[in-house]
Amino acid sequence: MVASSAYQFVVLLGTLWFRRLRFREQRSLTSFTPPVSVLKPIRGADDDLEACLETFFRQDYPHYEIVFALHDPEDAAVAVIERLRQIYPGVRTTCVFQPPPLGINPKVANLAHALDAARYDTVVLSDADIRVPPNYLRTVVRPLQHPQVGVVTCPYRGTADGGLTAHLECLGISTDFMAGVLAARMTEGMSFALGATIATRKTVIADFGGLSRLADHLGDDYLLGHLTHRAGYEVCLSSCVVETVVPRMTWCDFLSHQLRWARTIRTARPGGYTGMFITHTFWLGWLLVAAFPAVPLAWHLFLVALTLRFLAAWQMAHILGDRATIRRLGWLPLRDLLQVAIWMGGFGGRTITWRGQIYRLAGDGRLLPYPVPERH
């Protein structure tokens, strides 16, 4: 319980650091605005796709382009892109289709195809379900003025229209996943990136060996940041908070998505994944008082840890601007119970379901077909 309480305290320190970062960047007078190519891999047209993409067309930035990468020219997303092109004719856009085979991960093939079509050295990679503020490009590109910075990545919050599972997903993003990102930043520094945003340069990607090194990995965003770090560059966390749209989902979809996430983290950071045991503060506390119900110290430790857990969760949601999560903190015990079960399930297998396909994760995080073809 002491280690778990210490973890929550580190998260609280991380929120203070993030507040200072935001304050410094808001007061910065630097006007570093190189031309930017925004790379958007897309597959399908969800209900929120147009609203998400429109935020990229409305950037307060002097010179940028958007490169959309799709597999199929008949994809429903093409009609959405065309509507936005007509509404915002001043934004330069390009669509590339049918990327050449690169590996098992189709998203990476799309990104590599878009990177080849990008006009500018400074590139911003972002998932299709991300909404951003008008000053997004100005904020995320600014740290790249320093040559030692290779990647800038953004924290994010979830937004959902309804459904308990979708709201639990948003709760977990703010109070667990992003809390873990800040804790990692405070204890070991940033050595990974998040798919919500990766701002970098073509020269940096070339230095670590190109996107082909990500082609067979599910955690391509994590690996891109990690390879950049290993190549000698800094990975920075931006003060710009973006938003991911969480759709309604069944309990089966929710658990499948969470297990995929857990098993991806386990293969990318096995030591860190095992250490996540101490992050389950609420249920570790219940185990402690269940084992020693007559010991006052056990209850004191539990109450201190529980207070730190809720305070850290509230602070995380507050700095991320996640008002919905603040209103739903009462669901935190249920979310924590589910998280313990999912964490344990993450150790129990290597198969995942992604975009309707079943894959097997190799020990190094590579995706393998499932079932694995027999060798002849």
Side-chain angles (χ1 to χ4, degrees):
M1 283 306 300
V2 173
S4 190
S5 296
Y7 169 79
Q8 299 299 339
F9 186 70
V10 170
V11 173
L12 283 170
L13 292 178
T15 63
L16 294 177
W17 169 84
F18 188 78
R19 288 178 187 277
R20 291 196 299 269
L21 173 67
R22 177 175 285 172
F23 179 75
R24 289 197 306 268
E25 292 200 353
Q26 286 176 346
R27 292 172 62 90
S28 175
L29 300 177
T30 304
S31 57
F32 177 73
T33 54
V36 171
S37 295
V38 179
L39 313 184
K40 299 289 287 187
I42 297 179
R43 180 181 177 183
D46 296 331
D47 292 341
D48 296 292
L49 179 65
E50 185 165 351
C52 292
L53 294 185
E54 187 172 16
T55 63
F56 286 84
F57 280 83
R58 301 178 65 180
Q59 286 300 295
D60 176 22
Y61 199 81
H63 198 177
Y64 72 101
E65 66 169 355
I66 308 175
V67 182
F68 297 100
L70 307 95
H71 265 68
D72 185 0
E74 301 300 320
D75 194 305
V78 175
V80 175
I81 295 168
E82 288 302 323
R83 283 199 299 272
L84 290 171
R85 277 175 161 173
Q86 294 177 12
I87 297 171
Y88 301 96
V91 178
R92 183 183 185 89
T93 59
T94 303
C95 286
V96 293
F97 301 98
Q98 298 175 332
L102 187 64
I104 292 180
N105 188 329
K107 173 187 167 184
V108 175
N110 274 349
L111 282 173
H113 200 29
L115 187 67
D116 289 340
R119 289 173 168 263
Y120 309 121
D121 182 57
T122 302
V123 293
V124 174
L125 291 58
S126 176
D127 291 340
D129 59 351
I130 298 298
R131 295 175 180 169
V132 298
N135 65 341
Y136 165 75
L137 286 179
R138 287 185 182 273
T139 306
V140 301
V141 167
R142 187 181 298 140
L144 292 176
Q145 66 185 297
H146 305 292
Q148 72 272 21
V149 175
V151 158
V152 183
T153 194
C154 282
Y156 61 94
R157 62 178 178 266
T159 180
D161 291 333
L164 176 59
T165 51
H167 289 305
L168 288 174
E169 178 91 358
C170 295
L171 186 64
I173 289 172
S174 291
T175 65
D176 287 321
F177 182 71
M178 289 312 307
V181 170
L182 280 187
R185 163 62 183 73
M186 296 300 294
T187 56
E188 60 187 62
M190 293 290 295
S191 60
F192 55 90
L194 309 173
T197 289
I198 299 175
T200 185
R201 295 181 291 272
K202 286 184 178 181
T203 50
V204 172
I205 294 174
D207 282 348
F208 69 66
L211 293 182
S212 60
R213 295 193 63 182
L214 320 178
D216 291 324
H217 291 260
L218 176 60
D220 51 273
D221 47 3
Y222 167 88
L223 188 57
L224 194 156
H226 188 62
L227 291 175
T228 299
H229 176 74
R230 288 178 56 184
Y233 293 96
E234 293 181 15
V235 179
C236 290
L237 189 66
S238 174
S239 67
C240 183
V241 178
V242 301
E243 193 171 75
T244 183
V245 177
V246 178
R248 287 178 177 267
M249 59 182 75
T250 65
W251 279 102
C252 183
D253 292 336
F254 171 78
L255 293 174
S256 175
H257 178 257
Q258 291 293 311
L259 279 174
R260 188 188 82 205
W261 209 350
R263 289 169 181 169
T264 302
I265 296 172
R266 189 200 71 199
T267 55
R269 294 167 56 89
Y273 187 79
T274 303
M276 287 173 64
F277 177 73
I278 68 169
T279 69
H280 303 136
T281 305
F282 186 85
W283 297 102
L284 286 175
W286 273 118
L287 289 175
L288 179 65
V289 297
F292 304 99
V295 178
L297 179 60
W299 285 95
H300 292 156
L301 288 174
F302 172 59
L303 290 175
V304 169
L306 187 62
T307 300
L308 287 171
R309 168 60 171 150
F310 272 92
L311 183 58
W314 181 84
Q315 284 279 63
M316 281 300 310
H318 186 69
I319 65 168
L320 295 174
D322 192 350
R323 296 177 181 176
T325 286
I326 292 175
R327 295 193 301 269
R328 296 186 177 94
L329 284 180
W331 289 102
L332 203 57
L334 173 60
R335 170 68 203 191
D336 284 357
L337 173 61
L338 290 171
Q339 192 62 29
V340 171
I342 291 163
W343 175 76
M344 294 175 66
F347 286 105
R350 291 188 178 276
T351 59
I352 62 163
T353 302
W354 183 43
R355 293 182 174 179
Q357 299 292 321
I358 300 176
Y359 298 93
R360 183 172 175 82
L361 284 172
D364 59 358
R366 288 180 299 111
L367 285 169
L368 301 174
Y370 185 81
V372 179
E374 296 182 1
R375 293 184 178 181
H376 298 285

